[in-house]
Amino acid sequence: MTVDEGRRITITAIAREAGVSVPTVSRVLNGRSDVAPQTRERVEELLRRHGYRRRAARPRVSASLIDLVFNDLDSPWAVEIIRGVEDVAHAAGVGTVVSAIHRRTASTRQWLQNLRTRATDGVVLVASDLAPPVHAELRRLNVPMVLVDPAGVPTLDIPTIGATNWTGGLRATEHLISLGHRRIGFIAGSPSMLCSRARLDGYRAALEAAGIPLFDELIQPGDFYHESGLEGARALLALEERPTAIFASSDQMAFGAYEAVRQVGLRVPDDVSVVGFDDLPEARWSSPPLTTVRQPLTEMGLLAARTVLRLAQGEPVETPRVELATDLVIRDSTAPLVDR
């Protein structure tokens, strides 16, 4: 694509032809040093070729911003991602704009409208299924994007940052099996999320490897929040042969399971062992401290911010698909099975 020579050239058109963001062109114009040499040469050559001249006053300037977009902000999980992005943004002298679109078309449309009025360096979308219209509009605006924990299967041209969810699910279940548990309940996360399906698959793989039958009644639906953990654990504990251990797909659901165990007069881990997933800060302070799979949420935010800033500077991303390692953190909510 080349710029129409018969029209007054804009930095948006220059950015589109150069394959970079508008803030990158602004940084070149302002003599900033945080632009890759090859990118700078390409932009400067296009500026010369098209005879670009600054307007006396331009409504859009390089604002040095990262847009960080969540579906919701009502979880401590989101705070850990924000912490990682903020650390990188602060070090780079870049601001952060945090938005929640609540899975609503109107909210997404409003966010895009806001995005058009400011010069953002790039967008980090968290736990989102990037709709084709949103993808197309971000491409039209030449805004680099990175997905963290994508909901669905992303297109190949968008870098993604995730965690080893299958391995985490496997390790958590193997830990319970090593303690002698055979009836292990599972509370799943949102079924639309890739990470949810991966954790469930890891649970199933561990049972199969140990020769333990898989019973559908031991798998309860959830949505990562406390209430679904409470309801899922209630259903499991009401079974004629209740599980001796519960693996919840998030720490918040594990805390909900704690409450369900308490309500029926049982104790964690004396009567029911519980494992979570995330290792949120409150996991170590719960009573008892929660055994959980540590998901490197802050590190995921760090890497996402670094990646989007590299893209904004016109630098290539060597590995478009990154999965950071999960680790099992053993605390006091799991114990060896005692025959009842």
Side-chain angles (χ1 to χ4, degrees):
M1 175 180 177
T2 59
V3 179
D4 182 355
E5 300 289 352
R7 300 167 56 189
R8 180 180 182 127
I9 192 65
T10 65
I11 63 171
T12 299
I14 292 291
R16 185 179 299 116
E17 185 171 354
V20 299
S21 65
V22 170
T24 297
V25 177
S26 293
R27 283 194 289 269
V28 172
L29 286 167
N30 293 328
R32 293 263 297 271
S33 61
D34 53 343
V35 180
Q38 301 92 330
T39 301
R40 180 182 300 280
E41 290 176 9
R42 184 165 70 253
V43 171
E44 288 178 342
E45 194 279 327
L46 286 171
L47 291 169
R48 287 192 298 270
R49 183 196 309 169
H50 296 295
Y52 175 80
R53 288 180 296 176
R54 285 179 184 265
R55 297 184 182 185
R58 290 182 297 120
R60 286 179 59 115
V61 296
S62 178
S64 294
L65 296 173
I66 295 176
D67 269 77
L68 179 57
V69 185
F70 294 87
N71 280 312
D72 299 290
L73 287 170
D74 54 356
S75 166
W77 181 91
V79 174
E80 298 304 304
I81 297 282
I82 293 171
R83 180 176 290 115
V85 172
E86 274 287 307
D87 284 350
V88 171
H90 178 75
V94 175
T96 306
V97 178
V98 180
S99 304
I101 57 176
H102 307 294
R103 299 178 179 83
R104 298 172 188 157
T105 302
S107 297
T108 303
R109 190 181 303 116
Q110 181 61 55
W111 170 69
L112 284 172
Q113 180 59 41
N114 293 340
L115 193 70
R116 295 185 192 102
T117 66
R118 60 176 176 263
T120 188
D121 286 289
V123 173
V124 175
L125 296 121
V126 183
S128 174
D129 190 2
L130 189 59
V134 177
H135 186 190
E137 180 63 9
L138 292 176
R139 285 294 180 210
R140 190 187 71 79
L141 295 171
N142 289 294
V143 174
M145 67 194 92
V146 175
L147 291 177
V148 175
D149 230 358
V153 179
T155 59
L156 295 176
D157 62 335
I158 305 175
T160 63
I161 311 295
T164 54
N165 290 287
W166 184 89
T167 300
L170 180 79
R171 295 286 178 261
T173 311
E174 286 179 338
H175 169 64
L176 293 170
I177 293 171
S178 74
L179 295 173
H181 297 281
R182 293 297 180 270
R183 279 189 67 79
I184 301 171
F186 181 83
I187 307 176
S190 303
S192 62
M193 296 289 295
L194 282 176
C195 62
S196 299
R197 300 196 291 273
R199 293 170 198 178
L200 175 57
D201 288 344
Y203 160 82
R204 287 172 168 155
L207 294 180
E208 182 180 354
I212 299 174
L214 177 65
F215 298 102
D216 290 342
E217 66 182 3
L218 290 176
I219 301 175
Q220 294 295 319
D223 61 8
F224 294 128
Y225 291 97
H226 294 87
E227 292 79 5
S228 66
L230 174 65
E231 293 303 319
R234 279 175 174 168
L236 290 169
L237 297 173
L239 294 172
E240 184 174 351
E241 185 181 359
R242 67 168 174 81
T244 61
I246 295 173
F247 172 27
S249 291
S250 75
D251 286 355
Q252 288 184 279
M253 292 198 300
F255 298 144
Y258 272 24
E259 176 61 15
V261 171
R262 186 197 66 79
Q263 288 178 0
V264 296
L266 299 176
R267 292 178 299 172
V268 177
D270 304 63
D271 304 299
V272 183
S273 287
V274 176
V275 178
F277 202 111
D278 285 330
D279 195 25
L280 298 175
E282 53 264 48
R284 60 183 296 202
W285 301 111
S286 59
S287 182
L290 179 66
T291 294
T292 186
V293 176
R294 180 181 182 273
Q295 183 175 202
L297 298 169
T298 301
E299 291 88 342
M300 289 160 65
L302 284 165
L303 185 56
R306 288 171 181 156
T307 301
V308 83
L309 288 177
R310 288 192 63 183
L311 292 171
Q313 293 171 19
E315 299 178 11
V317 175
E318 290 82 5
T319 308
R321 300 285 179 269
V322 176
E323 286 193 344
L324 301 182
T326 52
D327 299 295
L328 181 66
V329 181
I330 300 174
R331 297 193 179 100
D332 298 337
S333 65
T334 53
L337 175 66
V338 176
D339 291 336
R340 299 198 298 264

